[in-house]
């Protein structure tokens, strides 16, 4: 039974709430594995989600040889490999290093960068962000100070369309029509306008100022908004540092126009597909790597963009059909892109339910929700998307609680197996 359908906000997630910390950041990477109930977990950072087809094949080989055989996409466009044996660290690092996925062991957990996945492919946006991505990643890996960043600290490079600008990054770089860039820090309302060519350098400098700011304040915080009331002082501090460094900047109003991720289908010169719940089987991953002419772009919405500028329209349609045959979502009307879930049981010992199986069983109900629907096995809500959504949270008593949306009706209970009643419950808090 669903324990309650409530509009009251759930308890704060520890992912977003500052808390006293007496140990370092335990965010997993490829050299620091996380022990889960289904084996060790490695999180491979993929800046901008960009993988060559060779790297994609290498990841598939890692999952097949060492893990559970599948690839799991994250809400930051990274890849997780699950089911790893405890003693595989050396072999794993060697395979990833050979594929160019471990350019700096000291920085592998801080290369958290999302970028507009359709940049340069659909005629939208005001600037191609690939040069920014290349420059920022290189600068991160060359900076001794950046090694102090948390594995949760996030950079976003937006080509001006407003897609990744909506993801709540710590440092957001947004292209402007006058060949400039807006630099925004956390949820601050004020931005800094800089020359577009200076943007990668400014993004890194802002992160380094944050580290100094937190250290001098005696705070152990991982993200900018965890500074609380002091976060408002960070933008002026960064502005002063830019002036000292000879980088021109002016205060600017933040651009609040945002868009979502790309829907499945052919968009411009790209193929866009969605991986249900971010899970890709070996055969699906192999088909993607074989269809892609040169690279894949993983999105923060657990999708994949295949740049195909040299394909004809009929060739793109044929390639999309080939991917659909593997079970990947290619239909823009599918409810799957609006449904997410944590790993749940049996992979996580803290989960109260097999949330992925339950999300799949009630998929039809999700089609009636105008907000993203995220299933969580416990109150931590790991991996939940940024922004408005409906949270479906498993409870210790064996049911689910629904929270979020705009409705303010009375609490309801409903049976998970009764899809029609679940759809009614969802409509009550999303309409």
């Amino acid at each position: 039974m669903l324990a309650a359908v409530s509009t009251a906000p759930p308890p704060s997630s520890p992912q977003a709430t500052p808390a006293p910390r007496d140990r370092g950041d335990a965010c997993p990477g490829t050299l620091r594995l996380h022990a889960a109930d289904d084996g060790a977990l490695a999180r491979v950072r993929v800046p901008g989600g960009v993988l060559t087809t060779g790297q994609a094949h290498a990841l598939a080989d890692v999952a097949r040889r060492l893990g559970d055989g599948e690839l799991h996409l994250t809400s930051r466009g990274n890849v997780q490999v699950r089911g790893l044996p405890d003693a595989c660290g050396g072999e794993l690092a060697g395979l990833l290093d050979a594929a160019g996925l471990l350019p700096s062991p000291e920085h592998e957990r801080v290369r958290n960068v999302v970028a507009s996945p359709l940049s340069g492919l659909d005629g939208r946006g005001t600037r191609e962000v690939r040069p920014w991505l290349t420059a920022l990643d290189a600068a991160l890996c060359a900076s001794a100070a950046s090694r102090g960043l948390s594995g949760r600290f996030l950079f976003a490079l937006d080509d001006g369309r407003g897609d990744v600008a909506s993801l709540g990054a710590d440092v957001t770089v947004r292209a402007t029509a006058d060949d400039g860039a807006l630099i925004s820090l956390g949820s601050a309302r004020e931005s800094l306008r800089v020359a577009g060519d200076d943007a990668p350098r400014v993004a890194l400098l802002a992160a380094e100022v944050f580290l100094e700011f937190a250290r001098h304040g005696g705070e152990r915080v991982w993200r900018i908004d965890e500074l609380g009331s002091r976060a408002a002082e960070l933008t002026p501090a960064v502005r002063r540092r830019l002036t000292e460094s000879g980088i021109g900047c002016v205060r600017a109003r933040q651009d609040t126009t945002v868009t979502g991720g790309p829907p499945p289908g052919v968009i411009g010169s790209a193929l866009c597909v969605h991986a249900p719940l971010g899970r890709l089987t070996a055969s699906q991953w192999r088909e993607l790597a074989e269809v892609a002419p040169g690279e894949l772009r993983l999105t923060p919405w657990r999708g994949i963009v295949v740049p195909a500028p040299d394909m004809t329209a009929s060739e793109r349609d044929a390639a999309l059909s080939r991917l659909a045959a593997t079970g990947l979502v290619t239909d823009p009307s599918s409810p799957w892109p609006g449904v997410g879930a944590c790993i749940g049981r049996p992979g996580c010992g803290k989960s109260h339910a097999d949330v992925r199986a339950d999300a799949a069983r009630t998929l039809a109900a999700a089609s009636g929700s105008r907000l993203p629907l995220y299933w969580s096995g416990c109150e931590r809500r790991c991996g939940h998307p940024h922004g408005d959504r409906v949270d479906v949270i498993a409870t210790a008593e064996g049911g689910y609680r629904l929270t979020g949306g705009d409705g303010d009706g009375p609490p309801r209970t409903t049976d998970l197996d009764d899809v029609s009643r679940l759809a009614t419950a969802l409509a009550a808090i999303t309409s």
Side-chain angles (χ1 to χ4, degrees):
M1 293 288 291
L2 285 171
V5 179
S6 170
T7 56
S12 298
S13 167
Q15 297 185 88
T17 303
R21 294 178 175 128
D22 56 4
R23 61 182 177 85
D25 173 22
C27 197
T30 56
L31 302 180
R32 178 188 292 176
L33 306 185
H34 169 71
D37 276 25
D38 58 351
L41 175 154
R43 184 174 299 157
V44 183
R45 266 62 176 192
V46 185
V50 178
L51 288 170
T52 67
T53 52
Q55 290 172 330
H57 282 298
L59 282 172
D61 187 46
V62 166
R64 178 182 58 81
R65 291 172 57 178
L66 302 177
D68 64 4
E70 297 183 343
L71 282 304
H72 303 260
L73 306 186
T74 77
S75 59
R76 294 182 168 191
N78 294 320
V79 176
Q80 291 187 162
V81 183
R82 303 188 66 96
L84 296 165
D86 292 337
C88 75
E91 184 178 2
L92 173 66
L95 292 171
L96 296 176
D97 187 38
L101 291 166
L102 196 59
S104 173
E106 295 83 5
H107 298 82
E108 61 96 10
R109 293 192 313 128
V110 307
R111 299 170 69 226
N112 293 302
V113 187
V114 293
S116 299
L118 283 173
S119 186
L121 298 174
D122 65 347
R124 298 183 59 196
T126 60
R127 185 186 185 110
E128 165 62 68
V129 297
R130 180 60 68 83
W132 279 355
L133 176 61
T134 302
L136 177 58
D137 189 34
L140 268 173
C141 291
S143 167
S146 71
R147 291 181 294 182
L149 291 172
S150 159
R152 292 168 169 78
F153 194 93
L154 179 64
F155 297 89
L157 305 179
D158 194 296
D159 69 358
R161 73 184 66 210
D163 54 354
V164 298
S166 67
L167 298 180
D170 295 278
V171 179
T172 299
V173 182
R174 182 164 182 163
T176 60
D178 59 357
D179 203 30
L182 293 178
I183 309 296
S184 303
L185 307 180
S187 57
R189 296 181 179 180
E190 182 183 71
S191 295
L192 300 176
R193 184 183 297 276
V194 301
D197 290 345
D198 289 333
R201 180 184 174 194
V202 172
L204 176 60
L205 185 148
E208 293 175 345
V209 171
F210 159 72
L211 288 172
E212 296 174 9
F213 202 76
R215 184 169 60 250
H216 292 159
E219 298 158 302
R220 173 171 279 181
V221 294
W222 295 331
R223 306 201 62 186
I224 285 177
D225 283 347
E226 292 178 351
L227 289 168
S229 61
R230 293 192 67 225
E233 304 171 28
L234 185 60
T235 299
V238 170
R239 187 171 67 246
R240 291 191 295 271
R241 180 63 58 83
L242 293 179
T243 300
E244 294 168 0
S245 302
I247 300 174
C249 71
V250 295
R251 297 167 62 181
R253 186 182 299 275
Q254 189 177 103
D255 188 343
T256 57
T257 304
V258 297
T259 60
V266 176
I267 302 179
S269 61
L271 313 176
C272 300
V273 300
H274 180 80
L277 303 179
R279 178 178 172 180
L280 289 136
T281 64
S283 61
Q284 289 172 328
W285 191 263
R286 182 171 58 250
E287 286 294 312
L288 278 165
E290 291 180 358
V291 163
E295 72 177 31
L296 304 174
R297 300 183 185 181
L298 312 179
T299 80
W301 304 276
R302 294 181 172 88
I304 305 96
V305 170
V306 178
D310 297 326
M311 287 187 186
T312 65
S314 60
E315 288 172 336
R316 291 187 191 115
D317 289 339
L320 204 64
S321 296
R322 178 177 171 183
L323 295 175
T326 70
L328 291 169
V329 176
T330 62
D331 181 356
S333 66
S334 170
W336 269 124
V339 178
C342 69
I343 194 64
R345 289 180 177 172
C348 177
K350 292 183 173 63
S351 179
H352 302 305
D354 186 347
V355 291
R356 294 192 168 200
D358 289 344
R361 290 166 57 201
T362 57
L363 181 63
S367 63
S369 175
R370 68 174 179 81
L371 292 175
L373 188 66
Y374 195 78
W375 293 69
S376 300
C378 70
E379 293 288 354
R380 296 184 307 159
R381 292 171 284 147
C382 295
H384 63 73
H386 186 75
D388 293 336
R389 64 186 180 277
V390 176
D391 280 317
V392 186
I393 306 170
T395 68
E397 294 75 25
Y400 281 98
R401 187 180 72 253
L402 271 65
T403 64
D406 300 324
D408 54 2
R412 294 173 170 83
T413 60
T414 188
D415 193 316
L416 180 63
D417 293 325
D418 188 337
V419 176
S420 63
R421 293 181 67 194
L422 178 58
T424 300
L426 287 171
I429 63 172
T430 60
S431 60

